[in-house]
Amino acid sequence: MAIIGMDAQVPPGRVVVVIDVIRAFTTAAVAFERGAVEIACAPSVQAGRDLRRRLPDRLLVGESHGLRPADYDLGNSPFEMSTAPLAGRRLIQATSNGTVGLARCPAPVVLLAASARNVGATARWITAHHAGVPWTILRTGRTTEDRACAGHLAALLGGSAPDRADLVAGVRAGAAEHAGRYARKPASEKVDLSRDLSFCCDVDRSDFAMIGEVRDDHVALTAVA
């Protein structure tokens, strides 16, 4: 049982949970809440474009350095997902950390994506289906929110009842770290997280796990109650 960062090797033969709270897997969770049926997670912005050429009916969503690429339909924003018409749609998502993290897990027993929004459902699904199987939690970011979410999930998997308020505080602290970094950038490179933060802090709003199927050039996520 381990929590690791992106610089560590992901061991095979384990339940692997990839964490990205701000914002990839909060965005994905909101998309599923809105009725999306599958999200093809690409390991790079260009890989997302390549997938879209093969699958032109899909919405292309994501970010590069936090900002929506000009040829993408939507950004990596749970706020944007919350108002988009997604019922029955299939998406392609490419982000700097979350979808890259999924691509680093070639041989898991099962692969899941999680944020604070579905952390409880993730723990329940693992306990119901893979109790006793060793697990690894991969933090894709270096900021506080992913550490807090990973620790919260590990506690749930260990049978504890961690305080949601501590997780919310961790997410808010991580958002402040992101804001401090963006404040030093030119105006054209700044990312405004203000509309997304409430979605990222909404612990256990989603009642499903997000299960990943490893395919040749992407990971296909589906929501499973």
Side-chain angles (χ1 to χ4, degrees), residues 4 19 24 45 49 57 72 85-86 109 112 124-125 147 166 187 199 210 213-214 219:
I4 63 174
I19 302 284
V45 168
R49 294 185 181 111
D57 60 321
Y72 272 47
L86 300 179
V109 170
L112 302 98
R124 290 191 298 273
W125 191 92
R147 290 196 299 272
D166 292 337
F199 294 89
M210 297 188 292
E213 178 186 339
V214 180
V219 172

mmCIF file of all heavy atoms in Angstrom, residues 4 19 24 45 49 57 72 85-86 109 112 124-125 147 166 187 199 210 213-214 219:
data_model
loop_
_atom_site.group_PDB
_atom_site.id
_atom_site.type_symbol
_atom_site.label_atom_id
_atom_site.label_comp_id
_atom_site.label_asym_id
_atom_site.label_seq_id
_atom_site.Cartn_x
_atom_site.Cartn_y
_atom_site.Cartn_z
ATOM 1 N N ILE A 4 2.306 7.576 -4.037
ATOM 2 C CA ILE A 4 3.510 7.954 -4.776
ATOM 3 C C ILE A 4 3.237 9.190 -5.624
ATOM 4 O O ILE A 4 2.089 9.568 -5.844
ATOM 5 C CB ILE A 4 4.009 6.797 -5.671
ATOM 6 C CG1 ILE A 4 2.963 6.446 -6.735
ATOM 7 C CG2 ILE A 4 4.364 5.584 -4.836
ATOM 8 C CD1 ILE A 4 3.446 5.408 -7.748
ATOM 9 N N ILE A 19 -4.903 10.499 -8.819
ATOM 10 C CA ILE A 19 -5.558 11.643 -8.187
ATOM 11 C C ILE A 19 -5.220 12.922 -8.936
ATOM 12 O O ILE A 19 -4.056 13.209 -9.184
ATOM 13 C CB ILE A 19 -5.098 11.807 -6.726
ATOM 14 C CG1 ILE A 19 -5.390 10.554 -5.902
ATOM 15 C CG2 ILE A 19 -5.701 13.061 -6.088
ATOM 16 C CD1 ILE A 19 -6.813 10.369 -5.518
ATOM 17 N N ALA A 24 -8.447 18.072 -13.303
ATOM 18 C CA ALA A 24 -8.822 17.094 -14.335
ATOM 19 C C ALA A 24 -9.948 16.162 -13.918
ATOM 20 O O ALA A 24 -10.924 15.974 -14.654
ATOM 21 C CB ALA A 24 -7.602 16.283 -14.757
ATOM 22 N N VAL A 45 -1.831 16.944 -25.269
ATOM 23 C CA VAL A 45 -2.749 17.764 -26.057
ATOM 24 C C VAL A 45 -2.763 17.307 -27.509
ATOM 25 O O VAL A 45 -3.824 17.212 -28.144
ATOM 26 C CB VAL A 45 -2.360 19.249 -25.937
ATOM 27 C CG1 VAL A 45 -3.093 20.100 -26.976
ATOM 28 C CG2 VAL A 45 -2.676 19.761 -24.541
ATOM 29 N N ARG A 49 -5.797 15.720 -29.985
ATOM 30 C CA ARG A 49 -6.143 16.122 -31.357
ATOM 31 C C ARG A 49 -6.167 14.911 -32.290
ATOM 32 O O ARG A 49 -7.039 14.784 -33.154
ATOM 33 C CB ARG A 49 -5.131 17.145 -31.866
ATOM 34 C CG ARG A 49 -5.149 18.480 -31.136
ATOM 35 C CD ARG A 49 -4.196 19.460 -31.788
ATOM 36 N NE ARG A 49 -4.181 20.727 -31.095
ATOM 37 C CZ ARG A 49 -3.162 21.198 -30.383
ATOM 38 N NH1 ARG A 49 -2.035 20.478 -30.284
ATOM 39 N NH2 ARG A 49 -3.248 22.366 -29.779
ATOM 40 N N ASP A 57 -16.868 12.863 -33.716
ATOM 41 C CA ASP A 57 -18.127 13.195 -33.039
ATOM 42 C C ASP A 57 -17.924 13.526 -31.566
ATOM 43 O O ASP A 57 -18.874 13.932 -30.885
ATOM 44 C CB ASP A 57 -19.106 12.022 -33.157
ATOM 45 C CG ASP A 57 -18.564 10.747 -32.517
ATOM 46 O OD1 ASP A 57 -17.354 10.488 -32.663
ATOM 47 O OD2 ASP A 57 -19.348 10.027 -31.872
ATOM 48 N N TYR A 72 -9.639 23.437 -28.982
ATOM 49 C CA TYR A 72 -10.415 22.560 -28.101
ATOM 50 C C TYR A 72 -11.802 23.146 -27.879
ATOM 51 O O TYR A 72 -11.980 24.367 -27.841
ATOM 52 C CB TYR A 72 -9.693 22.379 -26.766
ATOM 53 C CG TYR A 72 -8.698 21.231 -26.739
ATOM 54 C CD1 TYR A 72 -7.776 21.057 -27.773
ATOM 55 C CD2 TYR A 72 -8.673 20.334 -25.690
ATOM 56 C CE1 TYR A 72 -6.864 20.007 -27.751
ATOM 57 C CE2 TYR A 72 -7.772 19.275 -25.656
ATOM 58 C CZ TYR A 72 -6.877 19.114 -26.693
ATOM 59 O OH TYR A 72 -5.987 18.071 -26.671
ATOM 60 N N PRO A 85 -24.051 20.944 -22.575
ATOM 61 C CA PRO A 85 -25.005 19.872 -22.894
ATOM 62 C C PRO A 85 -24.248 18.573 -23.185
ATOM 63 O O PRO A 85 -23.763 18.363 -24.297
ATOM 64 C CB PRO A 85 -25.725 20.409 -24.133
ATOM 65 C CG PRO A 85 -24.731 21.327 -24.785
ATOM 66 C CD PRO A 85 -23.901 21.909 -23.685
ATOM 67 N N LEU A 86 -24.164 17.709 -22.198
ATOM 68 C CA LEU A 86 -23.311 16.521 -22.301
ATOM 69 C C LEU A 86 -24.069 15.204 -22.283
ATOM 70 O O LEU A 86 -23.454 14.140 -22.403
ATOM 71 C CB LEU A 86 -22.289 16.518 -21.156
ATOM 72 C CG LEU A 86 -21.325 17.707 -21.091
ATOM 73 C CD1 LEU A 86 -20.400 17.561 -19.901
ATOM 74 C CD2 LEU A 86 -20.523 17.838 -22.378
ATOM 75 N N VAL A 109 -4.293 -4.026 -11.796
ATOM 76 C CA VAL A 109 -5.443 -4.902 -11.616
ATOM 77 C C VAL A 109 -6.703 -4.149 -12.026
ATOM 78 O O VAL A 109 -7.574 -4.677 -12.718
ATOM 79 C CB VAL A 109 -5.540 -5.375 -10.152
ATOM 80 C CG1 VAL A 109 -6.866 -6.092 -9.890
ATOM 81 C CG2 VAL A 109 -4.376 -6.303 -9.824
ATOM 82 N N LEU A 112 -8.292 3.535 -11.606
ATOM 83 C CA LEU A 112 -9.353 4.474 -11.298
ATOM 84 C C LEU A 112 -8.821 5.896 -11.300
ATOM 85 O O LEU A 112 -7.634 6.133 -11.040
ATOM 86 C CB LEU A 112 -9.968 4.184 -9.920
ATOM 87 C CG LEU A 112 -10.570 2.795 -9.699
ATOM 88 C CD1 LEU A 112 -9.564 1.898 -8.985
ATOM 89 C CD2 LEU A 112 -11.858 2.877 -8.888
ATOM 90 N N ARG A 124 -15.344 3.056 -1.642
ATOM 91 C CA ARG A 124 -16.373 2.023 -1.491
ATOM 92 C C ARG A 124 -16.296 1.003 -2.615
ATOM 93 O O ARG A 124 -16.452 -0.205 -2.396
ATOM 94 C CB ARG A 124 -17.768 2.665 -1.447
ATOM 95 C CG ARG A 124 -18.032 3.454 -0.174
ATOM 96 C CD ARG A 124 -19.497 3.837 -0.046
ATOM 97 N NE ARG A 124 -19.967 4.693 -1.127
ATOM 98 C CZ ARG A 124 -19.871 6.020 -1.124
ATOM 99 N NH1 ARG A 124 -19.274 6.647 -0.120
ATOM 100 N NH2 ARG A 124 -20.355 6.734 -2.132
ATOM 101 N N TRP A 125 -16.062 1.475 -3.847
ATOM 102 C CA TRP A 125 -15.984 0.549 -4.982
ATOM 103 C C TRP A 125 -14.795 -0.392 -4.828
ATOM 104 O O TRP A 125 -14.916 -1.605 -5.059
ATOM 105 C CB TRP A 125 -15.892 1.334 -6.288
ATOM 106 C CG TRP A 125 -16.067 0.467 -7.495
ATOM 107 C CD1 TRP A 125 -17.219 0.182 -8.161
ATOM 108 C CD2 TRP A 125 -15.022 -0.263 -8.181
ATOM 109 N NE1 TRP A 125 -16.978 -0.672 -9.210
ATOM 110 C CE2 TRP A 125 -15.642 -0.966 -9.243
ATOM 111 C CE3 TRP A 125 -13.648 -0.385 -7.992
ATOM 112 C CZ2 TRP A 125 -14.924 -1.767 -10.113
ATOM 113 C CZ3 TRP A 125 -12.930 -1.204 -8.857
ATOM 114 C CH2 TRP A 125 -13.564 -1.885 -9.909
ATOM 115 N N ARG A 147 -2.203 15.849 -2.307
ATOM 116 C CA ARG A 147 -1.722 15.151 -1.111
ATOM 117 C C ARG A 147 -2.867 14.913 -0.128
ATOM 118 O O ARG A 147 -2.997 13.843 0.452
ATOM 119 C CB ARG A 147 -0.604 15.943 -0.435
ATOM 120 C CG ARG A 147 0.689 15.979 -1.208
ATOM 121 C CD ARG A 147 1.845 16.422 -0.326
ATOM 122 N NE ARG A 147 1.665 17.768 0.209
ATOM 123 C CZ ARG A 147 2.043 18.878 -0.415
ATOM 124 N NH1 ARG A 147 2.596 18.796 -1.618
ATOM 125 N NH2 ARG A 147 1.867 20.051 0.139
ATOM 126 N N ASP A 166 -11.044 18.567 6.736
ATOM 127 C CA ASP A 166 -9.597 18.591 6.503
ATOM 128 C C ASP A 166 -9.283 18.496 5.019
ATOM 129 O O ASP A 166 -8.350 19.149 4.529
ATOM 130 C CB ASP A 166 -8.925 17.440 7.253
ATOM 131 C CG ASP A 166 -8.981 17.601 8.762
ATOM 132 O OD1 ASP A 166 -9.133 18.743 9.230
ATOM 133 O OD2 ASP A 166 -8.888 16.574 9.463
ATOM 134 N N ALA A 187 -0.202 38.271 -17.935
ATOM 135 C CA ALA A 187 -1.668 38.205 -17.961
ATOM 136 C C ALA A 187 -2.177 37.132 -18.917
ATOM 137 O O ALA A 187 -3.175 36.456 -18.633
ATOM 138 C CB ALA A 187 -2.243 39.564 -18.338
ATOM 139 N N PHE A 199 -16.468 23.495 -7.010
ATOM 140 C CA PHE A 199 -16.656 22.138 -7.522
ATOM 141 C C PHE A 199 -15.562 21.213 -6.977
ATOM 142 O O PHE A 199 -15.836 20.063 -6.623
ATOM 143 C CB PHE A 199 -16.626 22.126 -9.044
ATOM 144 C CG PHE A 199 -17.773 22.849 -9.686
ATOM 145 C CD1 PHE A 199 -17.698 24.204 -9.976
ATOM 146 C CD2 PHE A 199 -18.950 22.175 -10.012
ATOM 147 C CE1 PHE A 199 -18.752 24.871 -10.574
ATOM 148 C CE2 PHE A 199 -20.012 22.832 -10.604
ATOM 149 C CZ PHE A 199 -19.914 24.187 -10.882
ATOM 150 N N MET A 210 -14.758 6.235 -11.075
ATOM 151 C CA MET A 210 -14.403 6.401 -12.491
ATOM 152 C C MET A 210 -13.342 5.363 -12.829
ATOM 153 O O MET A 210 -12.203 5.458 -12.377
ATOM 154 C CB MET A 210 -13.925 7.828 -12.764
ATOM 155 C CG MET A 210 -15.005 8.858 -12.508
ATOM 156 S SD MET A 210 -14.595 10.567 -13.012
ATOM 157 C CE MET A 210 -13.291 10.981 -11.843
ATOM 158 N N GLU A 213 -10.168 1.955 -18.576
ATOM 159 C CA GLU A 213 -9.762 0.807 -19.404
ATOM 160 C C GLU A 213 -8.571 1.235 -20.244
ATOM 161 O O GLU A 213 -8.670 2.179 -21.041
ATOM 162 C CB GLU A 213 -10.905 0.366 -20.310
ATOM 163 C CG GLU A 213 -10.536 -0.794 -21.223
ATOM 164 C CD GLU A 213 -11.633 -1.123 -22.222
ATOM 165 O OE1 GLU A 213 -12.799 -0.764 -21.979
ATOM 166 O OE2 GLU A 213 -11.298 -1.720 -23.273
ATOM 167 N N VAL A 214 -7.439 0.563 -20.059
ATOM 168 C CA VAL A 214 -6.221 0.915 -20.779
ATOM 169 C C VAL A 214 -6.328 0.434 -22.221
ATOM 170 O O VAL A 214 -6.494 -0.769 -22.477
ATOM 171 C CB VAL A 214 -4.981 0.304 -20.103
ATOM 172 C CG1 VAL A 214 -3.717 0.673 -20.877
ATOM 173 C CG2 VAL A 214 -4.879 0.771 -18.654
ATOM 174 N N VAL A 219 -6.698 6.082 -22.224
ATOM 175 C CA VAL A 219 -7.440 5.365 -21.187
ATOM 176 C C VAL A 219 -8.891 5.815 -21.257
ATOM 177 O O VAL A 219 -9.177 7.018 -21.209
ATOM 178 C CB VAL A 219 -6.858 5.628 -19.795
ATOM 179 C CG1 VAL A 219 -7.756 5.037 -18.709
ATOM 180 C CG2 VAL A 219 -5.442 5.044 -19.678
#
